[in-house]
Amino acid sequence: MSPKLPSNNAQTITDFLNPEPHHISEETSAESYKFAFDDEAFLARRETIGIRFELELLKPEILLNEHGIDHTITVFGSTRFVSREKALEMEKNAQTADEKAAANKALLHSRYYESAREFGATVAHYNTTQDKNSNKLHICTGGGPGIMEAANRGAFEAGDQTIGFNISLPREQHPNPYISPGLSFRFHYFALRKMHFMLRARAIVVFPGGFGSFDEFFEVLTLMQTKKVTAFPIILVGKAFWAEMVNFQQMIEFGVIDESDMQVIHFAETAQEAWAIIQKHYQLS
């Protein structure tokens, strides 16, 4: 029996776009005669993956520069948390035991949504005191629902520019409505999206979340541990959650990380505590 090893285990852009076979083969002159830059099927080929990487890196970079955005605070957290208003509506409309349980959980978690919203507003209010773009910090998120929506919403409602780096998913994640016009971006490649989370980041604020939040959080920790980026504050909101999910002290005692690796991690319970850590680190007035 011969091994059944896959030739590629990633979802290619060709898979995602699902073009017609005759478009990919380009057997007609009408297809082959197109300008290369105007030929979607050609740009979706496996051989042009490097070009697509470059484009996904370049497009947001150019547009963010044009909007005068130099510094960001990147906010991660669960997509599943809803606002207190929405949670109260769920509680009011709950009929079954499952619906009531879901409403109770939504109410419990809504405090994180409201905290992220407050944090976004706090950063936006700081920006109103700054005349130069080079001194401003802008809220940046993954552009989706939950904590991402909340942080974007707080900044947007306060009249500030706010950024969303969305990603194409099997269950499409639509941009939340609180991203500034011209600052809502869509990525196919997680790697390029993560690069943009970091390129302008001056702090990372992580609310309770699932696999995605942990993935992004630990990626940042690894970059700092390996000195690939200059260390800056990583703020974990909700110490009880993080202490139960990750036993950092046990990792130190087991010898898989050093105590010095923990210096970049800070814990906060409120939006104001998170902002105070950033203020102190950068000596912001």
Side-chain angles (χ1 to χ4, degrees), residues 95-249:
Q95 300 293 327
T96 67
D98 286 347
E99 289 174 347
K100 291 177 181 178
N104 288 335
K105 187 174 288 187
L107 272 172
L108 179 66
H109 293 161
S110 68
R111 64 191 177 99
Y112 293 117
Y113 181 105
E114 299 302 334
S115 181
R117 182 178 176 184
E118 181 186 352
F119 180 77
T122 299
V123 175
H125 289 144
Y126 161 77
N127 286 342
T128 64
T129 69
Q130 304 301 310
D131 296 326
K132 296 180 179 178
N133 284 336
S134 58
N135 291 332
K136 294 181 179 181
L137 294 156
H138 296 283
I139 292 294
C140 172
T141 78
I147 291 298
M148 296 178 283
E149 174 188 292
N152 285 137
R153 181 177 182 178
F156 185 87
E157 289 174 336
D160 201 15
Q161 291 178 302
T162 176
I163 305 151
F165 291 137
N166 219 307
I167 187 79
S168 59
L169 297 171
R171 291 177 58 185
E172 191 64 21
Q173 175 177 284
H174 298 286
N176 69 65
Y178 303 106
I179 302 169
S180 298
L183 294 177
S184 180
F185 301 96
R186 186 188 188 194
F187 292 82
H188 180 73
Y189 300 106
F190 271 103
L192 275 298
R193 183 190 190 218
K194 287 178 178 179
M195 283 190 70
H196 274 290
F197 279 144
M198 289 296 297
L199 284 173
R200 288 172 169 77
R202 304 298 173 252
I204 301 286
V205 180
V206 193
F207 287 80
F211 289 160
S213 301
F214 275 76
D215 171 44
E216 291 152 349
F217 163 45
F218 278 101
E219 174 125 352
V220 176
L221 279 179
T222 303
L223 289 172
M224 291 187 183
Q225 184 188 52
T226 55
K227 305 295 190 291
K228 293 295 183 182
V229 298
T230 302
F232 54 67
I234 301 175
I235 303 162
L236 305 182
V237 179
K239 187 172 184 178
F241 171 85
W242 292 106
E244 189 170 346
M245 296 299 120
V246 187
N247 192 332
F248 294 108
Q249 187 59 40

Side-chain angles (χ1 to χ4, degrees), residues 253-278:
E253 292 174 6
F254 201 78
V256 292
I257 64 171
D258 295 329
E259 196 158 352
S260 59
D261 294 329
M262 291 294 296
Q263 292 178 356
V264 296
I265 299 178
H266 307 263
F267 294 95
E269 296 301 325
T270 67
Q272 292 307 315
E273 286 180 13
W275 175 242
I277 292 166
I278 297 168

Side-chain angles (χ1 to χ4, degrees), residues 59-92:
K59 181 179 178 180
E61 179 71 12
I62 291 172
L63 295 180
L64 289 169
N65 283 338
E66 289 178 350
H67 280 83
I69 293 172
D70 296 323
H71 312 296
T72 62
I73 298 175
T74 303
V75 181
F76 299 134
S78 177
T79 63
R80 303 185 183 194
F81 297 165
V82 299
S83 67
R84 179 166 176 78
E85 178 184 15
K86 176 66 176 177
L88 289 171
E89 182 181 339
M90 290 172 63
E91 183 183 51
K92 179 181 177 181

